[in-house]
Amino acid sequence: MMLATATAMAISNPAEEEYWDAAFWEAVVNHDHSMDGVFFYAVLSTGVYCRPACPSRRPKRENVLFFHRLETAEKAGFRACLRCKPAAAPAADPNAELVERVCRFIENNLEGPLTLATLGKELGLSPFHLQRTFKSAIGITPRAYADSTRLNFLKAGLRRGHSVTRAMVDSGYGSSSRLYERTASQLGMTPATYRKGGSGAAIRFTVADSPLGRLLVAATAKGVCSIRFGESDGELEKQFRKEFPAASIESGGLPWVDEILRHLRGVEPMLHLPLDIQSTAFQRRVWEYLQSIPYGATQSYSEIASAIGQPNATRAVARACATNPVALAIPCHRVVRQDGSPGGYRWGLERKKALLAKESEMR
């Protein structure tokens, strides 16, 4: 699907976890308190789940899974960490109790049909009220939450080494045909291929010097799939390969690097890059809106949530910004806190300040 925005994006519809990993792992590494409540991470080797700011020793990256909610982590078989006590985190949304009931019901009934009518009848709510309240609170529909939960359980099983059949049954897919139909777009590969780490994708990348340090740009045959900043070529390549662990990756020149460098120098305010990235429907709405923010301007997370019609989804907007895989092309650096302070940035606060200062100067 090509979007008529400043940047054309080829978008499919995978579960959010595909692009949580890099940003959320960075938060775990840095014990980032600002991300507490945005997500939880679970460690396969210990069976424990934690808040991002947990002071426990850093786990190995290959043993970590990320979850929207602590209840989903528990349903997947993990127990709460005794050090950071993630279950003690207060719920921020006034409709948290209602959303909690809906999520619990979905998680316990993944094998059955989860229509709005079914959910409404079981919970004593009108389908309209249920859908509106749920989506307003966490940014996705009950159906999308059910799909995401099934996929999380499937991935947890596959990464533990379970067979595809066992993981399929445990995660609520009623048949192998349904499993492959639903996961073809969500995983971007078959479950068997995912179990092996993913293979077959051909990606070319290049690393160049930029005003903000070393810059890595990567692309498939369809378009740019990753733009990231770092301190060294080795670290950039290492983190990039972790994101695409079994793809066919090779170094080589890319035609868009010069355009990105001109953009960083303020010579070319608008980027026109073909993108090959995956998103949920909610991420797509946020990312499309970010591309409409003018060069040199900023907006707050809450303003963006209101602009896309979901004023209570501020945290979900922040999550979408944190999981943006293509810096600059989707200008998440133009999103600031309500008081005007810069807030966080996946590639470092100093880079965000430099980007905003340069755009303000050139404007």
Side-chain angles (χ1 to χ4, degrees), residues 207-210 212-216 228-233 236:
V207 182
D209 199 21
S210 82
L212 298 180
R214 301 300 284 171
L215 168 75
L216 182 145
R228 56 181 62 217
F229 294 102
E231 304 304 324
S232 70
D233 294 16
L236 274 172

Side-chain angles (χ1 to χ4, degrees), residues 244-266:
F244 301 94
S248 174
I249 297 175
E250 62 179 31
S251 176
L254 292 172
W256 304 288
V257 175
D258 286 343
E259 182 178 348
I260 294 171
L261 292 175
R262 290 196 300 272
H263 176 76
L264 284 171
R265 293 193 294 268

Side-chain angles (χ1 to χ4, degrees), residues 7 10-11 75 113-115 151-152 162 166 168 223 240 278 287-288 293-294 302 310 322 344 357:
T7 303
I11 290 184
K75 184 70 176 179
L114 290 169
T115 64
L151 190 65
N152 266 336
H162 296 168
R166 177 180 172 182
M168 173 188 76
F240 170 67
Q278 297 176 315
W287 292 348
E288 282 182 332
I293 301 176
S302 58
Q310 295 185 222

Side-chain angles (χ1 to χ4, degrees), residues 25 29 34 36 44 57 79 97 123 159 185 200 258 289-290 292 298 324 338:
W25 175 242
V29 169
S34 69
D36 279 356
L44 291 167
R57 187 173 64 179
R79 65 184 186 279
E97 184 177 349
L123 297 166
R159 289 176 68 171
S185 62
D258 286 343
Y289 187 83
L290 294 186
S292 74
T298 61
N324 169 25
Q338 190 69 35

Side-chain angles (χ1 to χ4, degrees), residues 20 39-44 47-51 65-81 86 104 107 145 149 152-153 156 160:
W20 291 356
F39 73 95
F40 300 89
Y41 73 92
V43 184
L44 291 167
V48 167
Y49 71 92
C50 304
R51 301 191 221 185
L65 291 174
F66 300 113
F67 291 90
H68 274 293
R69 304 169 57 254
L70 58 89
E71 291 83 8
T72 315
E74 291 176 353
K75 184 70 176 179
F78 298 97
R79 65 184 186 279
C81 172
R104 286 281 184 171
E107 291 160 8
Y145 181 76
T149 301
N152 266 336
F153 291 172
R160 285 187 175 115

Side-chain angles (χ1 to χ4, degrees), residues 20-329:
W20 291 356
D21 288 6
F24 286 8
W25 175 242
E26 188 72 17
V28 172
V29 169
N30 295 324
H31 304 291
D32 188 349
H33 286 275
S34 69
M35 296 295 276
D36 279 356
V38 175
F39 73 95
F40 300 89
Y41 73 92
V43 184
L44 291 167
S45 57
T46 63
V48 167
Y49 71 92
C50 304
R51 301 191 221 185
C54 182
S56 299
R57 187 173 64 179
R58 184 191 309 167
K60 292 182 178 179
R61 176 63 188 86
E62 60 267 24
N63 289 332
V64 173
L65 291 174
F66 300 113
F67 291 90
H68 274 293
R69 304 169 57 254
L70 58 89
E71 291 83 8
T72 315
E74 291 176 353
K75 184 70 176 179
F78 298 97
R79 65 184 186 279
C81 172
L82 296 178
R83 294 192 67 180
C84 67
K85 299 180 180 178
D93 191 274
N95 292 310
E97 184 177 349
L98 170 60
V99 172
E100 168 70 19
R101 289 171 57 206
V102 177
C103 289
R104 286 281 184 171
F105 184 83
I106 289 173
E107 291 160 8
N108 290 323
N109 295 275
L110 290 172
E111 70 285 349
L114 290 169
T115 64
L116 285 175
T118 300
L119 291 172
K121 181 178 179 181
E122 289 291 335
L123 297 166
L125 302 166
S126 73
F128 173 78
H129 177 65
L130 187 152
Q131 169 98 328
R132 183 181 61 181
T133 304
F134 191 92
K135 189 173 182 180
S136 176
I138 68 173
I140 57 176
T141 64
R143 179 176 178 178
Y145 181 76
D147 286 345
S148 177
T149 301
R150 284 192 192 97
L151 190 65
N152 266 336
F153 291 172
L154 177 71
K155 287 184 173 185
L158 293 175
R159 289 176 68 171
R160 285 187 175 115
H162 296 168
S163 68
V164 172
T165 300
R166 177 180 172 182
M168 173 188 76
V169 173
D170 290 347
S171 53
Y173 292 97
S175 66
S176 58
S177 61
R178 186 181 181 211
L179 168 67
Y180 281 82
E181 174 190 350
R182 297 300 295 167
T183 59
S185 62
Q186 292 175 320
L187 282 176
M189 60 191 80
T190 67
T193 302
Y194 180 83
R195 187 170 181 266
K196 298 173 184 176
S199 63
I203 303 175
R204 182 182 293 269
F205 78 94
T206 187
V207 182
D209 199 21
S210 82
L212 298 180
R214 301 300 284 171
L215 168 75
L216 182 145
V217 182
T220 67
K222 294 180 181 179
V224 176
C225 62
S226 183
I227 301 175
R228 56 181 62 217
F229 294 102
E231 304 304 324
S232 70
D233 294 16
E235 185 62 24
L236 274 172
E237 183 175 348
K238 179 182 176 183
Q239 294 301 322
F240 170 67
R241 288 184 180 275
K242 280 186 177 180
E243 189 172 349
F244 301 94
S248 174
I249 297 175
E250 62 179 31
S251 176
L254 292 172
W256 304 288
V257 175
D258 286 343
E259 182 178 348
I260 294 171
L261 292 175
R262 290 196 300 272
H263 176 76
L264 284 171
R265 293 193 294 268
V267 177
E268 193 162 343
M270 296 296 293
L271 280 175
H272 299 279
L273 306 178
L275 300 182
D276 184 11
I277 58 177
Q278 297 176 315
S279 75
T280 64
F282 183 81
Q283 283 175 320
R284 184 178 65 191
R285 290 173 64 192
V286 173
W287 292 348
E288 282 182 332
Y289 187 83
L290 294 186
Q291 290 178 306
S292 74
I293 301 176
Y295 184 87
T298 61
Q299 288 193 24
S300 69
Y301 296 102
S302 58
E303 285 174 329
I304 292 169
S306 296
I308 64 173
Q310 295 185 222
N312 294 324
T314 301
R315 285 171 60 186
V317 168
R319 182 163 58 242
C321 292
T323 56
N324 169 25
V326 281
L328 306 176

